[in-house]
């Protein structure tokens, strides 16, 4: 896989594709720690074995975000067709500040190195009339994203109907927005540093069920 890295005076952030399969159980543990952010709906896998089996079925691209040698984030993109698809991401609390940089680098790969023209993110709403996660919305807005609408009662969580907001970033809006500075490219298999990983509560992203099914 291809690995992209960017660092500053104190932190090295590395993006490697694909996300290591042996860390999928740990990724599920990260997701299960999401208490305040309702990412998982009633149709998502409810145990690690089912989650790993679903993720191993493939049909998507994935990236591991490594911060100073520790895998601390996950970014995924599932194509819908040649035009675009759906992405979602999860980060440990210690790496939340690197989420925008990592997702931006993934979008650069999709928009510049391929024919993808649109990437969408589905955010499960906390409830009718409540605002979408301001942290995720802020990241998407800064990359040229827009909320295109709300799918009312499109899924369930805890036996109750939940809404999902559809956010999308087009190639035109992304390339017309703020761009990253220096990005270095290296080669790797996405498996370095896995023995040093520790599970933790991640940053919220988009609905798991919608994007990996």
């Amino acid at each position: 896989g291809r690995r992209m890295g960017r660092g500053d005076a104190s932190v090295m952030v590395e993006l490697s594709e694909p996300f290591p399969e042996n860390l999928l159980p740990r990724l599920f543990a990260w997701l299960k720690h999401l208490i305040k952010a309702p990412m998982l709906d009633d149709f998502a896998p409810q145990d690690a074995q089912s989650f790993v089996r679903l993720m191993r079925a493939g049909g998507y691209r994935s990236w591991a975000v490594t911060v100073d040698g520790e895998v601390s984030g996950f970014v995924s993109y599932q194509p819908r067709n040649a035009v675009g698809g759906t992405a979602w991401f999860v980060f440990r609390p210690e790496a939340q500040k690197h989420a925008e940089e990592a997702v931006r680098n993934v979008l650069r790969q999709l928009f510049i190195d391929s024919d993808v023209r649109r990437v969408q993110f589905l955010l499960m709403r906390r409830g009718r009339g409540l605002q979408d996660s301001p942290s995720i919305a802020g990241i998407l807005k800064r990359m040229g994203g827009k909320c295109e609408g709300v799918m009312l009662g499109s899924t369930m969580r805890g036996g109750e109907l939940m809404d999902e907001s559809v956010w999308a970033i087009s190639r035109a809006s992304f390339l017309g927005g703020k761009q990253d500075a220096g990005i270095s490219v290296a080669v790797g298999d996405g498996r370095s540093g896995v023995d040093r990983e520790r599970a933790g509560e991640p940053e919220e992203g988009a609905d798991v069920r919608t994007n990996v099914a």
Side-chain angles (χ1 to χ4, degrees):
R2 199 171 81 162
R3 181 176 298 167
M4 302 175 64
R6 177 185 175 191
D8 54 32
S10 59
V11 178
M12 173 58 72
V13 179
E14 201 169 44
L15 192 67
S16 58
E17 182 181 9
F19 189 86
E21 279 197 4
N22 62 315
L23 287 186
L24 289 176
R26 196 161 298 175
L27 174 58
F28 180 76
W30 291 1
L31 294 171
K32 294 298 286 186
H33 276 87
L34 285 172
I35 304 301
K36 299 178 182 179
M39 278 181 57
L40 298 174
D41 63 16
D42 292 347
F43 308 103
Q46 300 300 309
D47 59 78
Q49 184 177 8
S50 299
F51 175 79
V52 171
R53 183 165 56 248
L54 177 62
M55 296 294 285
R56 284 179 173 167
Y60 64 94
R61 295 178 64 181
S62 64
W63 293 261
V65 182
T66 303
V67 179
D68 282 345
E70 292 191 20
V71 175
S72 302
F74 170 92
V75 185
S76 175
Y77 171 75
Q78 180 179 16
R80 178 172 179 267
N81 50 40
V83 174
T86 303
W88 64 282
F89 54 94
V90 174
F91 284 79
R92 292 172 53 176
E94 299 84 353
Q96 290 177 5
K97 62 183 178 181
H98 302 294
E100 181 174 346
E101 174 187 348
V103 175
R104 188 183 293 274
N105 283 344
V106 168
L107 290 178
R108 284 177 63 86
Q109 288 191 37
L110 295 174
F111 288 135
I112 296 176
D113 298 341
S114 70
D115 293 328
V116 173
R117 292 174 171 81
R118 178 182 184 277
V119 177
Q120 71 177 18
F121 298 78
L122 303 182
L123 306 182
M124 196 184 305
R125 308 195 75 169
R126 302 171 191 276
R128 299 276 173 97
L130 295 182
Q131 185 180 9
D132 297 328
S133 170
S135 60
I136 300 302
I139 289 175
L140 299 181
K141 285 180 180 178
R142 286 191 294 275
M143 292 189 293
K146 294 182 179 179
C147 182
E148 298 182 335
V150 178
M151 298 186 293
L152 300 176
S154 57
T155 189
M156 299 187 75
R157 186 172 191 267
E160 298 183 4
L161 287 174
M162 297 286 291
D163 303 338
E164 291 174 289
S165 297
V166 181
W167 284 78
I169 301 176
S170 68
R171 175 191 285 177
S173 63
F174 179 78
L175 296 180
K178 180 180 179 182
Q179 297 297 297
D180 280 333
I183 298 177
S184 60
V185 179
V187 177
D189 60 6
R191 296 179 180 276
S192 63
V194 296
D195 293 334
R196 298 189 298 273
E197 296 319 301
R198 299 186 303 272
E201 180 181 350
E203 169 65 292
E204 59 210 87
D207 178 19
V208 173
R209 172 196 59 81
T210 305
N211 296 309
V212 301

